[in-house]
């Protein structure tokens, strides 16, 4: 038996993103989760995403992100030279005039449209400040991505991502016409290559996460799906709601099958298409 | 006994001020507004002043003119004088113990407000109830009045009379297809207002000589002594889609202007989401999402700004490669909300626009 050796620096592990923090820290440096609050897990196994305290600062690369407000939180980014972030342009709330913007080259972006506009991803480069928010009540979900991680996110739910993360998107088969009037539904895919990166989502209402075991599945309302590990499969199934003689109606549900994480939002907001 | 630094009332013999933390000089002079008792006053003299102090209107009473060098405690948001015993500001309802916080980039966040905080104006009070979609619940004293846009009314006493306010040219302005009508309610009685989305209630005191420009439909209510007017924003762009041309007004065709009559007044706005304010220095600029603007000082200039992101692959016609901003130019205050509405027409091909600056990266 070996006696445990006291570490020279005691570290606190964040229960949300597993990063190590100094013992005196009140909020996680990498994801902003309060470190002095226990995990809130429901009896059915959903874990509440951490409620980020007002004005918490999150560090990524050499830049910071301050989370401001608790009704419709704002992510205010202070980019240092050499750092960049990408996002959908309609989430920009304000910016310094001096922050340069470029467009990311996307294959297939023409086929995908948002509010009548071709789908574009903009890139802002440091140094300078730029802030983002969405149009409705919800919370920010901060997912620090470690090398080798792959996450799929509901379309238009990502607020911003740091430039170390590679971006692509995939179309969800079977959901055409169900949600977005003909365009079908896409998922944004975020993959880290060599270095860690930061991904911030905005979930409408409250956000919950659970980890599915291999083969374990759960049925979701497709509008509630927020994010998943790419190892989790998503299949759209139609359920007939019979009303006896007169046929009835069909409803679609998403079957999520593990292994991996699944995140949901409690408020489904209908996306308007202009 | 009073703090020499901030003017708060202190218990006799205190060594530190509870309000500002300042050390109390042994011979701290009392403000001249109160009959200055000698430093070691006998108890009867000391007991006399408090009732006098309480009966004074705490909210909009001009600072006692007798004591110019003395700095009294003031609300960090609205500048109202604070009573040392108060937990929330009588002018804006802000929580006194948690002063307005500024973000790293210098935006001031609206200070938190305790549920059921009370504001005062004239002889009337307004209680702010709820935290998601706050309600402004007025108790109007006889002679005091408020006016409001009719769609913001939540409930009222049956006895409280409301009447429409004559507005020049109001028929030109529509809200959801209905003409915009300002409605007035005069005390005594209770009346309450709220809006239809989660957000914050902003109390903007209008000091004598001051005015504020508010983006339309954010107005909740104002006290009767605030002058209401509106003007054309002059910020527009015209789009063409097929044979159809349309003119879009990113900050609205009109903006509301509220100004003082010489008496202090109170203006209540409701913004979606969280609220941030900054004071721009002369010539300082900021790019703001047009639909996120809440209010600005009249001296703040605004115009459209197009930003064309650099793209290596091609020029994508007129829509994809420009973003539309509102450029605000200081000096003056500007306030934004975090839950913005969608900007219509941004995606369409543009035929013309009002004065705009442009940046091509």
């Amino acid at each position: 038996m070996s006696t445990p050796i006291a570490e020279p620096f005691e570290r606190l592990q964040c229960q949300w993103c597993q990063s190590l923090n100094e013992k005196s820290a009140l909020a996680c440096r990498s994801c902003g989760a309060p470190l002095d609050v226990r995990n809130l897990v429901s009896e059915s196994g959903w874990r509440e995403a951490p409620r980020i305290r007002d004005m918490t600062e999150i560090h990524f690369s050499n830049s910071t992100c301050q989370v401001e407000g608790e009704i419709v939180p704002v992510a205010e980014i202070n980019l240092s030279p050499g750092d960049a972030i990408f996002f959908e342009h309609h989430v920009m709330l304000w910016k310094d005039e001096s922050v340069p913007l470029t467009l990311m080259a996307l294959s297939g972006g023409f086929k995908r449209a948002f509010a009548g506009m071709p789908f574009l991803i903009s890139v802002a480069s440091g140094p300078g400040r730029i802030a983002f928010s969405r149009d409705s009540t919800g919370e920010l979900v901060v997912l620090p991505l470690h090398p080798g991680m792959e996450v799929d996110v509901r379309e238009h739910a990502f607020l911003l991502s740091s430039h170390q993360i590679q971006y692509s998107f995939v179309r969800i088969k079977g959901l055409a016409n169900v949600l977005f009037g003909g365009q079908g539904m896409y998922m944004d895919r975020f993959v880290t290559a060599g270095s860690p990166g930061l991904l911030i989502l905005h979930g409408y209402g409250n956000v919950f996460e659970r980890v599915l075991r291999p083969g374990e599945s759960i049925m979701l309302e497709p509008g509630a799906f927020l994010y998943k590990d790419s190892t989790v499969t998503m299949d759209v199934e139609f359920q007939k709601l019979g009303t006896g003689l007169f046929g009835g109606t069909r409803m679609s549900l998403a079957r999520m099958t593990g292994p991996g994480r699944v995140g949901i939002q409690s408020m489904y907001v209908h996306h308007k298409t202009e | 006994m009073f703090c020499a630094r901030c003017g708060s009332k202190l218990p006799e013999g205190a060594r530190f001020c509870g309000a500002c933390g300042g050390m109390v000089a042994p011979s701290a002079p009392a403000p001249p507004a109160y009959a200055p008792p000698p430093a070691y006053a006998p108890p009867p003299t000391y007991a006399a002043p408090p009732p006098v102090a309480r009966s004074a209107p705490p909210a909009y009473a001009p600072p006692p003119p007798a004591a110019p060098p003395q700095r009294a405690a003031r609300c960090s948001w609205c500048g109202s004088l604070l009573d040392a015993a108060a937990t929330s500001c009588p002018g804006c309802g802000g929580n006194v113990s948690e002063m307005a916080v500024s973000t790293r980039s210098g935006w001031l966040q609206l200070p938190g407000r305790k549920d059921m905080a009370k504001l005062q104006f004239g002889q009337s009070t307004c209680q702010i109830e709820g935290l998601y979609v706050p309600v402004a619940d007025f108790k109007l004293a006889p002679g005091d009045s408020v006016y409001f846009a009719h769609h913001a009314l939540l409930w009222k006493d049956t006895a409280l009379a409301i009447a429409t306010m004559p507005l020049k040219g109001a028929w030109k302005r529509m809200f959801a297809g209905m003409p915009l009508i300002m409605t007035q309610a005069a005390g005594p009685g209770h009346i309450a207002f709220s809006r239809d989305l989660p957000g914050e209630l902003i109390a903007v005191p209008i000091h004598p000589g001051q005015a504020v420009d508010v983006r339309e439909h954010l107005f909740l209510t104002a006290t009767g002594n605030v002058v209401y007017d509106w003007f054309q924003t002059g910020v527009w762009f015209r789009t063409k889609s097929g044979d159809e041309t349309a003119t879009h007004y990113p900050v609205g065709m009109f903006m509301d202007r509220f100004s003082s009559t010489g008496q202090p007044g109170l203006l209540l706005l409701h913004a979606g989401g969280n609220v941030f304010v900054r004071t721009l220095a002369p010539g300082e600029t900021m790019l703001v999402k047009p639909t996120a603007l809440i209010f600005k000082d009249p001296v703040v200039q605004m115009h459209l700004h197009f930003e064309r992101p650099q793209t290596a692959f091609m020029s994508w016609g007129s829509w994809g490669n420009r973003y539309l901003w509102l450029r605000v130019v200081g000096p003056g205050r500007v306030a934004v909300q975090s839950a913005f509405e969608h900007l219509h027409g941004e995606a369409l091909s543009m035929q013309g626009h009002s004065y705009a600056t442009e940046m091509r990266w």
Side-chain angles (χ1 to χ4, degrees):
Chain A
M1 248 179 73
S2 62
T3 45
I5 299 157
E7 277 190 73
F9 300 105
E10 251 186 293
R11 294 292 170 122
L12 261 180
Q13 190 173 35
C14 171
Q15 291 182 305
W16 179 250
C17 75
Q18 273 69 52
S19 306
L20 291 175
N21 285 275
E22 281 173 32
K23 212 185 163 210
S24 58
L26 283 173
C28 175
R29 213 181 130 79
S30 324
C31 74
L35 293 169
D36 50 352
V37 176
R38 287 173 61 116
N39 265 344
L40 289 170
V41 183
S42 72
E43 278 178 30
S44 58
W46 289 98
R47 176 185 170 186
E48 237 182 88
R51 196 83 187 147
I52 300 169
R53 285 197 194 97
D54 201 10
M55 298 292 168
T56 298
E57 269 191 294
I58 296 162
H59 300 256
F60 65 99
S61 203
N62 292 314
S63 307
T64 56
C65 166
Q66 193 170 24
V67 180
E68 303 153 2
E70 291 173 314
I71 303 171
V72 180
V74 175
E76 178 184 300
I77 311 288
N78 186 8
L79 285 170
S80 58
D83 276 349
I85 47 168
F86 62 88
F87 48 87
E88 289 177 51
H89 75 273
H90 54 90
V91 297
M92 287 191 287
L93 180 65
W94 58 259
K95 80 184 259 292
D96 285 345
E97 272 187 64
S98 58
V99 176
L101 286 184
T102 53
L103 284 180
M104 190 188 270
L106 287 180
S107 56
F110 284 106
K111 281 186 212 147
R112 208 182 144 184
F114 178 69
M117 272 175 97
F119 187 76
L120 301 169
I121 295 282
S122 309
V123 183
S125 329
R129 295 182 196 269
I130 180 165
F132 304 92
S133 70
R134 277 205 177 261
D135 54 352
S136 194
T137 317
E139 22 185 22
L140 293 187
V141 184
V142 183
L143 299 173
L145 297 189
H146 307 300
M149 273 172 110
E150 266 189 58
V151 176
D152 296 334
V153 177
R154 171 190 199 82
E155 64 176 345
H156 311 309
F158 101 95
L159 200 64
L160 63 107
S161 165
S162 69
H163 72 290
Q164 296 91 347
I165 295 175
Q166 284 167 16
Y167 172 83
S168 61
F169 59 85
V170 284
R171 188 176 174 140
I172 305 171
K173 286 193 184 100
L175 262 183
N177 296 315
V178 174
L179 291 169
F180 302 113
Q183 293 169 25
M185 187 177 165
Y186 293 85
M187 275 190 304
D188 294 320
R189 176 162 285 177
F190 299 90
V191 182
T192 41
S195 48
L198 180 76
L199 173 63
I200 300 184
L201 317 179
H202 175 104
Y204 291 118
N206 290 100
V207 175
F208 301 88
E209 179 189 278
R210 75 184 299 150
V211 181
L212 296 173
R213 292 185 303 272
E216 185 187 357
S217 42
I218 191 152
M219 307 298 284
L220 292 185
E221 148 64 39
F225 163 68
L226 186 62
Y227 65 92
K228 66 179 187 67
D229 284 328
S230 64
T231 49
V232 173
T233 55
M234 180 177 188
D235 300 294
V236 180
E237 292 182 7
F238 291 92
Q239 203 144 3
K240 199 173 175 189
L241 301 176
T243 50
L245 281 173
F246 301 104
T249 178
R250 274 193 343 160
M251 88 183 268
S252 58
L253 285 174
R255 177 191 286 274
M256 318 295 291
T257 310
R261 290 179 298 175
V262 176
I264 57 168
Q265 57 188 0
S266 62
M267 182 166 84
Y268 170 62
V269 172
H270 179 73
H271 291 258
K272 279 187 202 126
T273 45
E274 263 182 67
Chain B
M1 185 172 166
F2 297 88
C3 173
R5 223 169 96 184
C6 72
S8 303
K9 192 158 170 283
L10 301 174
E12 205 57 42
R15 291 173 57 211
F16 296 96
C17 169
C20 73
M23 218 158 137
V24 176
S27 59
Y34 308 96
Y40 295 100
T45 342
Y46 172 62
V52 183
R54 296 246 164 78
S55 68
Y60 293 121
Q70 194 109 34
R71 264 200 355 211
R74 283 179 179 277
C75 171
S76 59
W77 171 255
C78 71
S80 298
L81 280 172
L82 298 176
D83 182 22
T87 55
S88 54
C89 167
C92 68
N95 192 344
V96 166
S97 56
E98 111 187 40
M99 286 311 200
V101 193
S102 157
T103 73
R104 291 275 171 183
S105 63
W107 288 89
L108 197 69
Q109 198 181 31
L110 201 65
R113 180 185 286 125
K114 287 198 179 110
D115 202 4
M116 302 291 167
K118 247 186 200 175
L119 323 185
Q120 295 193 351
F121 66 96
Q123 299 303 310
S124 310
T125 57
C126 170
Q127 195 164 23
I128 314 286
E129 303 154 358
L131 296 170
Y132 291 111
V133 183
V135 175
D137 179 349
F138 283 87
K139 185 184 170 194
L140 293 173
D144 282 346
S145 69
V146 292
Y147 60 91
F148 52 95
H150 62 279
H151 54 90
L153 177 69
L154 182 66
W155 60 260
K156 72 170 194 75
D157 283 351
T158 43
L160 188 81
I162 56 174
T164 53
M165 222 166 80
L167 284 183
K168 65 172 165 84
W171 54 273
K172 278 192 221 153
R173 288 189 65 182
M174 310 283 269
F175 177 74
M178 280 168 80
L180 181 100
I181 295 168
M182 283 292 181
T183 315
Q184 200 161 18
H190 290 86
I191 187 165
F193 308 97
S194 69
R195 279 282 306 272
D196 55 353
L197 76 165
E200 291 197 270
L201 209 148
I202 318 161
V204 187
I206 308 282
H207 301 296
Q210 209 183 21
V212 65
D213 296 346
V214 181
R215 194 164 62 86
E216 57 182 358
H217 309 319
L218 296 176
F219 166 69
L220 199 65
T221 175
T223 55
N225 51 11
V226 173
V227 178
Y228 171 68
D229 199 2
W230 47 272
F231 61 96
Q232 297 208 335
T233 56
V235 176
W236 55 269
F237 61 92
R238 198 171 293 127
T239 57
K240 189 166 183 186
S241 167
D243 287 337
E244 218 169 297
T245 50
T247 308
H248 303 269
Y249 299 92
V251 282
M253 192 177 198
F254 301 100
M255 239 176 146
D256 296 327
R257 176 167 288 171
F258 297 92
S259 52
S260 103
T261 47
Q263 289 167 301
L266 180 68
L267 171 66
L268 293 184
L269 310 174
H270 177 100
N274 294 94
V275 176
F276 303 89
V277 181
R278 79 183 295 150
T279 306
L280 297 170
E284 190 185 347
T285 62
M286 199 87 208
L287 299 180
V288 172
K289 185 151 191 131
T291 51
L293 180 75
I294 305 171
F295 70 80
K296 65 171 191 69
D297 285 341
V299 288
V300 173
Q301 300 294 310
M302 59 176 183
H303 56 253
L304 291 176
H305 179 87
F306 300 110
E307 193 162 17
R308 296 179 186 270
Q310 190 188 20
T311 165
F313 32 104
M314 65 173 112
S315 155
W316 276 358
S318 56
W319 33 255
N321 53 3
R322 53 122 176 83
Y323 300 148
L324 213 150
W325 289 104
L326 186 73
R327 187 166 180 260
V328 285
V329 186
R333 281 182 309 171
V334 54
V336 296
Q337 60 184 8
S338 61
F340 48 80
E341 297 127 47
H342 281 284
L343 185 59
H344 293 284
E346 196 191 9
L348 301 171
S349 150
M350 207 174 278
Q351 299 283 297
H353 54 77
S354 57
Y355 171 74
T357 45
E358 191 186 35
M359 181 68 210
R360 283 169 189 269
W361 291 106

